Amino acid sequence: IVSLRRVLKVGSSGKDVKLVQTRLNKLMLNSTPLKADGDFGPATAKRVYEFKKSRKFKGVLPNKEVGSGTAKLLGLKWTGR
């Protein structure tokens, strides 16, 4: 399992963002695929919100950020604070 070490939100960039984008594409097959470019922009934020909403929150706040709860729902390990 790959891990995330920080909260991801609009403005974040890097390999961890690209990983989240790729996981969202795999888990949300009925949605137009995100461009997995490593930049957390408005489209990624919207998809994160849609993903959380589709999972009926399950202990995850319905926002547009990827933190510990969302990481777990995406099948990623959380090693951040």
Side-chain angles (χ1 to χ4, degrees):
I1 295 179
V2 178
S3 64
L4 293 180
R5 296 183 186 126
R6 61 182 176 135
V7 173
L8 303 177
K9 56 189 173 187
V10 172
S12 298
S13 63
K15 291 180 183 179
D16 49 359
V17 174
K18 186 173 182 175
L19 173 65
V20 166
Q21 292 167 329
T22 301
R23 292 294 298 153
L24 287 168
N25 286 339
K26 287 181 180 178
L27 294 170
M28 298 189 71
L29 298 174
N30 293 330
S31 300
T32 303
L34 288 168
K35 182 177 179 184
D37 59 5
D39 291 321
F40 198 121
T44 301
K46 181 178 178 188
R47 186 62 49 82
V48 167
Y49 182 84
E50 292 168 352
F51 174 74
K52 289 180 177 185
K53 191 173 178 184
S54 74
R55 297 302 188 266
K56 306 220 185 291
F57 309 129
K58 295 186 181 177
V60 177
L61 294 174
N63 60 26
K64 298 178 179 181
E65 298 180 355
V66 177
S68 61
T70 309
K72 290 175 186 174
L73 286 177
L74 289 168
L76 304 171
K77 183 177 177 182
W78 178 258
T79 59
R81 294 181 181 180

